[in-house]
Amino acid sequence: MKNYMPSRSVVNDFPVASIPHWVLDNKFITPNAICVYLALSRFIDSEGRCTPSRKQLVKASGLDTHTVEIALGILENYVGAIEHLERRGSSNAYFVHNRFAPVSNREIREQ
């Protein structure tokens, strides 16, 4: 049987979002936070940064604005999966940790 490997253009047309195990294994993660993490992942650039509006996150996650706000707080303050980047006079910007756990998250998991 022939092994199928899609061409680069096919891969780019059908992007895949994944959740690192250290995010899923965190004791503070919630189903809504997972939805928002995946929604953020749809917007990240090659460096892990993204600038979606709240409206875009609400639409991409299927959650209401208040629930998205709570999930963002959980992802940033308890899980360590994202960092809110300060931007003056512009939309929100985030850095999404999608490879390795940040040091602060490793410390939380050890407790």
Side-chain angles (χ1 to χ4, degrees):
M1 177 178 254
K2 189 174 182 180
N3 190 3
Y4 177 73
M5 182 63 180
S7 68
R8 189 162 188 75
S9 64
V10 172
V11 173
N12 290 338
D13 290 341
F14 301 100
V16 175
S18 63
I19 306 168
H21 288 275
W22 62 268
V23 172
L24 290 174
D25 294 342
N26 188 286
K27 66 182 178 182
F28 297 108
I29 197 71
T30 65
N32 290 336
I34 290 170
C35 287
V36 172
Y37 182 88
L38 289 171
L40 284 167
S41 296
R42 295 183 68 185
F43 299 100
I44 60 173
D45 62 17
S46 61
E47 296 177 0
R49 292 184 176 91
C50 61
T51 57
S53 67
R54 289 291 192 265
K55 188 176 182 178
Q56 288 174 310
L57 287 177
V58 165
K59 183 176 180 181
S61 68
L63 302 171
D64 62 61
T65 304
H66 180 71
T67 304
V68 167
E69 292 289 335
I70 292 170
L72 288 169
I74 290 169
L75 289 168
E76 183 174 17
N77 300 315
Y78 294 98
V79 179
I82 65 170
E83 291 177 46
H84 185 258
L85 306 173
E86 296 296 324
R87 292 176 47 151
R88 294 183 189 177
S90 187
S91 64
N92 294 303
Y94 302 94
F95 180 80
V96 179
H97 296 283
N98 58 0
R99 299 262 189 255
F100 303 103
V103 174
S104 61
N105 190 46
R106 288 188 189 128
E107 292 171 0
I108 291 172
R109 284 187 20 209
E110 291 173 358
Q111 295 177 354

